[in-house]
């Protein structure tokens, strides 16, 4: 028996709202500063998230 995907009404509204608004690209210097802070706090997950966000901020076509 296969299950079909039924989106929730709130999910549909959230996706529509996200599609309507442009997200500003954060300054790469700020992301790098956050990555340094995460590294100093020995937060490997935070470093990883900041590194990925830094690449996307520097090269907008990445991950699209």
């Amino acid at each position: 028996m296969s299950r079909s995907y039924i989106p929730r009404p709130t999910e549909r509204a959230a996706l529509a709202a996200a599609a309507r608004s442009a997200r500003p690209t954060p300054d790469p210097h700020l992301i790098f500063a956050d990555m340094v802070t995460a590294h100093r706090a020995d937060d490997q997950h935070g470093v990883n998230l900041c590194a990925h966000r830094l690449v996307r901020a520097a090269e907008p076509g990445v991950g699209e």
Side-chain angles (χ1 to χ4, degrees):
M1 177 180 217
S2 67
R3 291 182 154 180
S4 61
Y5 175 73
I6 301 172
R8 297 183 199 117
T10 54
E11 181 180 4
R12 186 174 291 136
L15 291 173
R20 282 192 306 265
S21 62
R23 294 186 191 116
T25 304
D27 183 20
H29 293 92
L30 296 176
I31 300 171
F32 189 73
D34 290 339
M35 188 168 70
V36 170
T37 301
H39 179 71
R40 287 181 181 163
D42 201 27
D43 178 8
Q44 186 59 43
H45 184 67
V47 170
N48 194 20
L49 288 174
C50 289
H52 283 91
R53 187 62 186 118
L54 186 60
V55 169
R56 285 189 174 188
E59 294 291 332
V62 174
E64 298 294 326

